[in-house]
Amino acid sequence: MASRPKPHDHAACVSDAMARAEHICAETGARFTPLRRRVLERIWAGHKPTGAYEILEDLGRDDGKPVAPVTVYRALDFLMAHGLVHRLNSLNAFIGCPRAGAGHEAVFLICEDCKRVAEIDDPAVGETLARDAADQGFSVSTQMIEVMGRCPDCQAAAHG
Amino acid sequence: MASRPKPHDHAACVSDAMARAEHICAETGARFTPLRRRVLERIWAGHKPTGAYEILEDLGRDDGKPVAPVTVYRALDFLMAHGLVHRLNSLNAFIGCPRAGAGHEAVFLICEDCKRVAEIDDPAVGETLARDAADQGFSVSTQMIEVMGRCPDCQAAAHG
DNA sequence: TGATGTAATGTAACGTTATAACGTGTCAAT
DNA sequence: ATTGACACGTTATAACGTTACATTACATCA
Ligand SMILES: [Zn+2]
Ligand SMILES: [Zn+2]
Ligand SMILES: [Zn+2]
Ligand SMILES: [Zn+2]
């Protein structure tokens, strides 16, 4: 509790993300419907990996009317297709992309303690993998790189 | 169908894997029980990613007596703990490790067409990731790197 | 040998994650 | 108004994974 390295104005962080989404959808002619907006908002709200059923429950809580799984998954598919969220395969969860729009190969640093995720983008990683794949005659379409470990805060908290 | 680049003597490939498993378990004092052996055999049999329930059904078919999911998962946990199989998170499936014993950070090349998987091990990838993580003050415990794309055979088959 | 402790497996129920199949509403272009 | 594309609703089911507790196998030692 001593230091707060990054104040992280989360309200701004969320509204930025929504504005970016709006912009991207407008550009591509994609329909950023209320449902999709709500799902994206919900994902950004906690700023950490969020399960589909977690979203589902929250949407249902918001306005009584229960939501079906498929509804959420469809929205998630849309958001992923437009690069607005990523799926974390090791967690069966989704997280907002802080660099939406840039068609990127991301690397995720997932804290095993607090579950927070940092998305970094080192082109060298993708290049190395592409080269390795090419050596095998393998042509790459997409990558999934998830690194588990401990974030700085949680290391400090464990003050080991 | 024209060329067969690698004849791949699969019988030998499987029996090698089983022998390695035997050896590793003997060394570490782990019990390579009949159940665990059957699960590992089943995974190697197809030489491609195999779902837990696929294994489950085959075990049940073998000797009438149905097998419960938990039984399979327990065996899989054991096999993973001893580095004999890997889990492919993007497929919810398991595959035998061709380099069992070496505690390694593997990279998986997964063919989206034929589902075959090549396991490669380029230390540079892990090093780069570790450095990237360190830059963020993040300490790495494990990694998961899965590359989707097309294997040489399937590229040839599509003769694009 | 039989008692004892530990690891492995059996059994039943349950929980979580994801998709299939088909119907209805919405909206814009012709 | 008709058409067609797309989003969303509804229901059911598939696929994946775990909890809790009972039983059995196996080694160790009194
Ligand atoms: Zn934020
Ligand atoms: Zn943390
Ligand atoms: Zn083989
Ligand atoms: Zn292939």
Side-chain angles (χ1 to χ4, degrees), chain A residues 138, chain B residues 110-116 149-155:
Chain A
F138 188 97
Chain B
I110 306 174
C111 179
E112 290 167 330
D113 280 15
C114 69
K115 314 303 179 196
R116 274 186 299 223
R150 259 187 172 177
C151 75
D153 290 0
C154 289
Q155 285 174 64

Side-chain angles (χ1 to χ4, degrees), chain A residues 68-90:
Chain A
V70 70
T71 301
V72 174
Y73 282 103
R74 283 195 285 230
L76 289 170
D77 285 346
F78 171 90
L79 296 172
M80 282 192 288
H82 290 78
L84 299 171
V85 309
H86 295 291
R87 176 183 166 80
L88 299 168
N89 276 305
S90 61

Side-chain angles (χ1 to χ4, degrees), chain A residues 8 10 13 47:
Chain A
H8 182 69
H10 189 55
C13 155
H47 213 150

